[in-house]
Amino acid sequence: MDPIVLAGLRKTGLATARRHLFLCPGPDCCSRETGLATWEHVKRRLKEAGVPAMRTKAECLRVCAGGPWLVVYPEGVWYGGVTPERFERILTEHLLGGVPVREWIAATADLNGAGSIDCASAV
């Protein structure tokens, strides 16, 4: 394998990751300023907490309202309105504790065919 590609794959944390987080920082679902503040917070807190997760700034998750949007795989949990403050609870309860924050789940889709949208959820 190309050594540059191999170095890139190692940098992702792929070998040890247990989750992959995607965050849309706007500008369609929220202000770009709000979205990028959340993105920077997520990056910093994952590292500080030692969470074995990859993270991707998704730019658009096609919801275009109620953001910033955070999707956590492998569970396929979709959270809307994720601020740095909300992320702290998601980090503690979901990423570290293994229990998604139920009242903030807008949808679930584990990519194995099990998906649902919770229209009653507070976004």
Side-chain angles (χ1 to χ4, degrees):
M1 177 177 291
D2 180 317
I4 296 171
V5 171
L6 184 57
L9 287 170
R10 286 186 177 136
K11 184 180 176 184
T12 68
L14 184 62
T16 59
R18 297 296 169 256
R19 288 196 170 86
H20 194 157
L21 282 65
F22 294 84
L23 184 107
C24 178
D28 294 335
C29 65
C30 64
S31 78
R32 191 71 166 168
E33 180 181 350
T34 297
L36 290 176
T38 299
W39 173 249
E40 291 303 321
H41 185 81
V42 167
K43 288 192 318 182
R44 181 176 54 79
R45 291 298 290 132
L46 287 174
K47 186 174 184 176
E48 289 173 354
V51 175
M54 297 184 304
R55 54 176 170 61
T56 299
K57 186 179 356 173
E59 293 303 322
C60 184
L61 292 171
R62 300 182 66 185
V63 180
C64 300
W69 284 92
L70 175 70
V71 184
V72 180
Y73 286 108
E75 298 95 329
V77 173
W78 288 62
Y79 294 107
V82 180
T83 62
E85 295 77 22
R86 275 194 174 195
F87 183 74
E88 285 303 307
R89 186 165 169 208
I90 294 166
L91 173 66
T92 302
E93 294 181 24
H94 186 164
L95 304 178
L96 295 172
V99 179
V101 181
R102 177 71 187 113
E103 65 264 30
W104 294 341
I105 297 173
T108 59
D110 69 9
L111 302 184
N112 288 318
S116 68
I117 297 174
D118 182 359
C119 295
S121 176
V123 175

